Amino acid sequence: MRVFIFTIFAAFFAGVGAAEADYKSEYKEYMAAYSAGDIEGALAHGEKAWRAAEEEIGATATTAILAYNFGRLAAATTPSTAEEAFERALEITNSGEGSLLIPDLELRIATMRNKIKPTNETRKTLAEKVAAQKAADPAATDATVAALSDLASYAASRGPEAGTNDADAYLNEAERLEPRANNILANALTLAGAVRIAGRRRTATDIAEAVVLLDRAIALFPPQKDIEHFDPGLASALVWRSTLDVVIESFLGKPVFKLGSRIAASEDLRAAYERAQESYSPPDSVWDSFRPESCENLEWAERKPPTYPKDAIHKGAIGAAIVGYDVDDTHIVRAVPLGEIYNSGFAAAAVKSMSSWKLKTPPPPECRKNALTFFNFIMR
């Protein structure tokens, strides 16, 4: 996305008069902060550049693009401010200034309104604007992907059976996005995998497809430095992947696979199902430093299992949690809940149980930090 943001503005920036203006200096600060990964600084300077342009040069193509650039950046954190920026860009574009795409702007506004106050009406409008944008430009864009993500997340919250089609539509759009955005694609793969196994009507085919989708998602994340800065998206993909053990254990009946599959995968579904039955451990690529295999086989003198959360029992919830931890000679000195299925209380129960864990012997130095452990919760 970074190349696009710079390019679309630069074409107009070069045509502005030679006199140095405040909005130009703010734009330079915005670009410097954005390039350095300082999103907070980029947001501050991006908004100042847009608003300064309003004062200095008024309703021009440059002002519209500054508003548009800022809106795209602010969309994830302050949708109300982003909506204001996109509306201003649309207003200027409708007046005949510039060449921003009106369907794209209308889609972004509809996405922000649905984020601010989601209703059936805002979701219906959002779906209509997605269709209009795709008709105007068949290529996948960050705007269509973001809109489909919101629609898919809502559909999944209503129930997995209702969410599969929307999750697949989101995934298909994320697959087509150029240049590819690994974080977006990984999120789409995780959601598509999760909705297949979260419902009570899951099939063996759903389970097999979820394995393929979730393993693809996990492989897209960059190596992690430590548990303190562990990517929540990766934690979500890992905990859903681990949950497959629980799902299969609770799955009744002999696996039956129908011909064909809803996803494009070279892997045979029966082979994928068999892989899902294996006890899961995260791949070595999760960390940016090597961890010996022996670190995963520490000997525990005491390892009391967690208590099943009462709320989860009442809801009949099964699932998993993932916890990162550090140890000293014999005890866990820090346990960080990284992810769980729903708001089940599984992670809190897991962390509480770990306070009493005790190692038989001190582990080597390379095994004392950034360990991961999974907890499976299933009613028997």
Side-chain angles (χ1 to χ4, degrees), residues 174-194:
E175 294 264 28
R176 297 192 314 114
L177 191 62
E178 294 291 344
R180 189 173 84 167
N182 282 351
N183 60 327
I184 293 174
L185 181 54
N187 181 71
L189 287 162
T190 300
L191 182 60

Side-chain angles (χ1 to χ4, degrees), residues 43 46 50 65-76 78-79 81-86 108 112:
L43 281 167
W50 161 40
I65 294 170
L66 286 170
Y68 179 77
N69 282 353
F70 167 69
R72 290 180 64 187
L73 195 60
T78 53
T81 309
E83 179 194 10
E84 179 190 358
F86 289 138
R108 293 180 188 277
M112 295 305 100

Side-chain angles (χ1 to χ4, degrees), residues 57-319:
I57 56 177
T60 65
T62 295
T63 303
I65 294 170
L66 286 170
Y68 179 77
N69 282 353
F70 167 69
R72 290 180 64 187
L73 195 60
T77 55
T78 53
S80 58
T81 309
E83 179 194 10
E84 179 190 358
F86 289 138
E87 285 183 333
R88 179 55 173 158
L90 178 61
E91 179 184 17
I92 294 173
T93 303
N94 278 330
S95 73
E97 290 288 336
S99 58
L100 293 174
L101 297 176
I102 290 176
D104 175 82
L105 289 168
E106 291 178 339
L107 173 57
R108 293 180 188 277
I109 292 169
T111 303
M112 295 305 100
R113 289 176 179 171
N114 187 58
K115 282 183 179 294
I116 295 165
K117 190 176 181 180
T119 64
N120 289 336
E121 188 61 32
T122 60
R123 283 185 286 273
K124 179 182 177 182
T125 300
L126 184 55
E128 291 172 350
K129 296 301 181 184
V130 170
Q133 166 63 9
K134 289 172 74 68
D137 181 4
T141 68
D142 62 328
T144 56
V145 170
L148 289 171
S149 171
D150 284 359
L151 293 171
S153 297
Y154 171 73
S157 71
R158 294 178 58 204
E161 290 80 7
T164 302
N165 289 339
D166 290 87
D168 285 354
Y170 169 35
L171 174 57
N172 290 338
E173 195 74 353
E175 294 264 28
R176 297 192 314 114
L177 191 62
E178 294 291 344
R180 189 173 84 167
N182 282 351
N183 60 327
I184 293 174
L185 181 54
N187 181 71
L189 287 162
T190 300
L191 182 60
V195 296
R196 280 168 164 78
I197 58 175
R200 297 181 183 276
R201 299 177 185 177
R202 67 181 74 89
T203 67
T205 298
D206 292 325
I207 294 170
E209 290 178 351
V211 176
V212 177
L213 291 162
L214 292 168
D215 282 352
R216 280 188 62 200
I218 292 165
L220 288 172
F221 286 94
Q224 305 296 294
K225 294 185 179 300
D226 51 46
I227 56 177
E228 184 177 358
H229 303 96
F230 205 87
D231 191 311
L234 174 56
S236 177
L238 287 169
V239 78
W240 276 108
R241 179 63 175 85
S242 178
T243 297
L244 283 166
D245 294 349
V246 179
V247 169
I248 288 178
E249 194 167 344
S250 66
F251 185 68
L252 301 178
K254 184 179 179 180
V256 176
F257 296 97
K258 297 180 180 179
L259 294 176
S261 171
R262 288 167 295 186
I263 62 172
S266 58
E267 185 171 8
D268 179 79
L269 290 180
R270 289 177 178 80
Y273 188 89
E274 291 173 3
R275 182 151 55 89
Q277 292 178 291
E278 302 170 1
S279 180
Y280 181 71
S281 60
D284 293 338
S285 59
V286 165
W287 298 111
D288 68 354
S289 58
F290 176 71
R291 284 180 61 84
E293 188 175 341
S294 58
C295 292
E296 308 307 320
N297 300 305
L298 300 178
E299 292 190 60
W300 297 91
E302 185 176 348
R303 197 177 183 184
K304 183 180 179 180
T307 302
Y308 215 107
K310 291 182 179 180
D311 285 348
I313 293 175
H314 294 154
K315 295 175 182 177
I318 63 173

